[in-house]
Amino acid sequence: MHKVDILLPTYNGGKFLEQQIKSLLNQSYKHINILIRDDGSSDQTQNIIKELAKVNDRIIVNEEIKENLGLVSNINFLLGISNADYVMYCDQDDVWFENKVEVLMKEMLNKEQDLGKQTPLLIHSDCYVTDENLKIKSLFKGAKPLQYGLEKSLFKFYVQGASTLINKALKLEIYPFINDVYLHDRYTHLCAEIKGRRFYLNKPLMYYRQHSENLVGSSSLYKKIKNIFLRDRFIFFQSTDRKLIESILREKYFENEMLAAYLKITSDKTSLWQKLRIIKFHKISMRLKELFIMIIKF
């Protein structure tokens, strides 16, 4: 049976952590290890981890590095100590359905049989957005991620890390993380579109808990409007995302025309007419919101 490593970085997650870990241990797919590294929590997180690890040898706690690394570097560290052929990212405050690993692994093995294990593969699914008591509010992604290809992904964020399974070929492609990785799932997604394949299961396989301390999450309509229209200045792309894509082009895929096209579109030195021509030529997908902001800036 194929081993799966679940990477669980923790930091002050004591309020919901035990429920999440128990949902991992209750998976119908039993051949898993849960790799945990705490990032210097000041609450009860470390005690919860240690107590659960005492009674289940599938929980592997690493205490090699004591200082605070931050989320992205913590995940990069866990990737480095993983020796499984398949890896899943995990957040400390969600709850997984019992069949989540089983369903994603079945899809992964089918795709590897068709495309070969040497092909970098990313399989991901949807989830239910809930409040902190797991009351369902909505689906998170819906059918949107069924659009594939780098040209569809440059201005759109389709992949949620905690809903993701990757194979060894993709792990070797992304590890170690390059400079300017600000979201591990965004970086993993872009590399999969460039060098491998991504496949989306349009079904929820976990509860995505929303609360005041989430690092990244779905926003209310009010917050979305505020973020778009009440900024100091209009912008149709994220500066952190542009830095990441610039680093990917410079450090990994320096001949990729689509990445170069994105950098031209997001450059102040490119005229609006040139931007529109590049978008049309490369069939780059943008939401109306970004397109509108790009146009009115000129």
Side-chain angles (χ1 to χ4, degrees):
M1 187 66 71
H2 305 280
K3 183 70 74 175
V4 178
D5 278 346
I6 299 174
L7 311 187
L8 176 54
T10 61
Y11 181 72
N12 288 343
K15 186 175 181 180
F16 306 113
L17 180 59
E18 185 171 357
Q19 187 178 19
Q20 169 66 311
I21 292 178
K22 287 182 176 179
S23 79
L24 304 182
L25 294 173
N26 288 332
Q27 289 295 301
S28 58
Y29 191 94
K30 300 300 182 184
H31 297 272
I32 64 170
N33 283 325
I34 305 169
L35 307 187
I36 301 177
R37 181 192 169 274
D38 186 70
D39 212 19
S41 294
S42 57
D43 66 353
Q44 67 270 35
T45 294
Q46 295 188 44
N47 290 332
I48 292 171
I49 294 168
K50 290 176 182 177
E51 289 302 312
L52 290 172
K54 285 180 182 178
V55 296
N56 198 300
D57 60 6
R58 292 188 294 168
I59 300 175
I60 301 171
V61 182
N62 189 284
E63 299 179 299
E64 180 181 336
I65 299 177
K66 299 297 184 181
E67 67 265 24
N68 182 281
L69 297 178
L71 176 61
V72 170
S73 293
N74 200 357
I75 292 172
N76 185 59
F77 175 84
L78 290 171
L79 268 177
I81 65 173
S82 169
N83 58 16
D85 286 341
Y86 304 94
V87 172
M88 300 181 74
Y89 298 135
C90 180
D91 290 342
Q92 63 186 0
D93 42 17
D94 301 327
V95 173
W96 289 15
F97 294 4
E98 286 188 7
N99 65 340
K100 178 180 175 180
V101 179
E102 181 180 359
V103 170
L104 292 177
M105 274 299 294
K106 181 179 179 181
E107 184 71 10
M108 173 66 79
L109 295 175
N110 286 338
K111 296 304 181 185
E112 282 193 332
Q113 187 172 8
D114 293 339
L115 300 170
K117 296 186 69 172
Q118 75 282 357
T119 303
L121 294 176
L122 184 157
I123 312 293
H124 64 126
S125 61
D126 204 355
C127 62
Y128 285 124
V129 178
T130 77
D131 64 17
E132 66 176 45
N133 297 312
L134 298 184
K135 181 179 178 181
I136 295 173
K137 298 194 288 186
S138 66
L139 283 170
F140 188 35
K141 295 292 185 181
K144 295 176 183 177
L146 291 171
Q147 301 184 66
Y148 298 107
L150 184 59
E151 71 279 6
K152 304 289 187 181
S153 303
L154 290 170
F155 289 93
K156 298 181 180 181
F157 293 69
Y158 290 137
V159 176
Q160 177 193 28
S163 294
T164 299
L165 168 71
I166 67 173
N167 65 354
K168 187 174 183 178
L170 183 54
K171 175 196 167 181
L172 294 175
E173 190 66 33
I174 64 174
Y175 179 82
F177 288 174
I178 62 171
N179 292 321
D180 298 314
V181 175
Y182 69 104
L183 290 174
H184 59 287
D185 43 10
R186 177 62 167 165
Y187 171 60
T188 304
H189 172 201
L190 292 173
C191 290
E193 297 283 11
I194 294 168
K195 292 297 289 185
R197 298 284 298 277
R198 171 179 65 86
F199 296 95
Y200 175 64
L201 300 182
N202 188 12
K203 66 171 80 174
L205 291 175
M206 74 173 193
Y207 298 110
Y208 178 28
R209 196 193 311 259
Q210 290 292 293
H211 55 91
S212 59
E213 297 177 3
N214 281 90
L215 286 173
V216 179
S218 63
S219 299
S220 66
L221 178 60
Y222 168 75
K223 288 182 179 179
K224 288 178 180 177
I225 293 172
K226 181 180 178 182
N227 288 338
I228 296 169
F229 293 107
L230 299 184
R231 291 172 177 168
D232 291 336
R233 66 188 186 92
F234 292 117
I235 191 166
F236 61 95
F237 61 93
Q238 295 184 19
S239 58
T240 50
D241 204 49
R242 191 181 195 280
K243 288 180 180 179
L244 170 61
I245 290 174
E246 193 172 22
S247 290
I248 293 175
L249 180 64
R250 181 178 64 249
E251 299 182 35
K252 294 181 70 69
Y253 313 123
F254 54 88
E255 294 182 346
N256 189 282
E257 294 182 0
M258 202 70 68
L259 296 179
Y262 170 89
L263 294 179
K264 290 180 181 178
I265 294 168
T266 55
S267 171
D268 291 337
K269 297 179 181 179
T270 307
S271 70
L272 177 59
W273 174 243
Q274 289 175 315
K275 292 176 192 285
L276 293 172
R277 288 187 62 185
I278 293 169
I279 290 168
K280 182 178 180 181
F281 179 80
H282 290 282
K283 300 180 180 179
I284 293 172
S285 179
M286 293 178 68
R287 291 177 295 180
L288 288 177
K289 175 182 70 177
E290 281 94 3
L291 190 60
F292 173 74
I293 294 173
M294 183 186 76
I295 292 172
I296 66 172
K297 282 192 67 176
F298 285 84

